[in-house]
């Protein structure tokens, strides 16, 4: 059973930085993908940054390119998201997600129906 636990959210002023971490527990197998999503109440979930280590591919939403950086520490089984130059529109609940299915991890386009999800961590950016 896979379990994901996010941490690092909080409140910051515009232009500030936050670093989110996702601790992964359980067996992932040799092929998997992980990433960060965000969602506000009443709005669709948005993929922020995704990684497929097996294919060495990453994805960043246009809205965060150049400001957010995702990194993975395999020794610690953690996935981090460094968020710099934060904007009020970055305010959302941020979720870590993981999957191992090829239909998700090697798909045309960005999929949001990942199998495993963390509980989320709130990020609030004030102007």
């Amino acid at each position: 059973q896979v379990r994901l636990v996010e941490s690092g959210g909080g409140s910051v002023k515009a232009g500030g930085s936050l670093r989110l971490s996702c601790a992964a527990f359980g067996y992932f197998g040799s092929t998997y993908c992980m990433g960060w999503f965000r969602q506000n109440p009443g709005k669709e979930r948005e993929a922020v940054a995704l990684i497929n280590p097996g294919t060495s591919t990453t994805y960043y939403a246009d809205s965060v390119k150049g400001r957010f950086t995702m990194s993975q520490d395999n020794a610690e089984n953690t996935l981090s998201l460094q968020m710099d130059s934060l904007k009020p529109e970055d305010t959302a609940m941020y979720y870590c997600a993981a999957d191992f299915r090829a239909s998700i991890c090697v798909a045309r386009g960005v999929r949001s129906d990942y199998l495993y999800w963390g509980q989320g961590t709130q990020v609030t950016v004030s102007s």
Side-chain angles (χ1 to χ4, degrees):
Q1 184 69 18
V2 172
R3 188 164 68 94
L4 305 172
V5 180
E6 303 100 332
S7 61
S11 297
V12 67
K13 289 189 175 181
S17 298
L18 284 173
R19 184 177 181 88
L20 305 183
S21 291
C22 173
F25 302 92
Y27 179 66
F28 276 72
S30 58
T31 57
Y32 66 94
C33 53
M34 293 184 71
W36 292 93
F37 293 78
R38 65 187 181 187
Q39 188 172 25
N40 281 305
K43 294 192 175 181
E44 289 190 3
R45 185 180 298 160
E46 174 190 19
V48 177
L50 307 173
I51 184 169
N52 184 330
T55 59
S56 299
T57 55
T58 57
Y59 163 87
Y60 288 93
D62 288 342
S63 58
V64 307
K65 282 181 181 177
R67 300 187 299 120
F68 290 12
T69 303
M70 180 173 53
S71 59
Q72 189 176 20
D73 185 334
N74 290 325
E76 297 292 331
N77 287 337
T78 59
L79 184 71
S80 298
L81 185 68
Q82 177 66 38
M83 305 186 296
D84 299 318
S85 302
L86 282 162
K87 303 176 180 180
E89 50 263 44
D90 294 318
T91 295
M93 184 72 79
Y94 283 71
Y95 298 91
C96 177
D99 207 308
F100 58 87
R101 299 170 292 175
S103 59
I104 301 297
C105 297
V106 191
R108 287 193 175 185
V110 176
R111 297 288 296 266
S112 61
D113 48 338
Y114 278 51
L115 191 57
Y116 303 105
W117 294 86
Q119 81 286 356
T121 184
Q122 179 68 37
V123 171
T124 302
V125 184
S126 59
S127 57

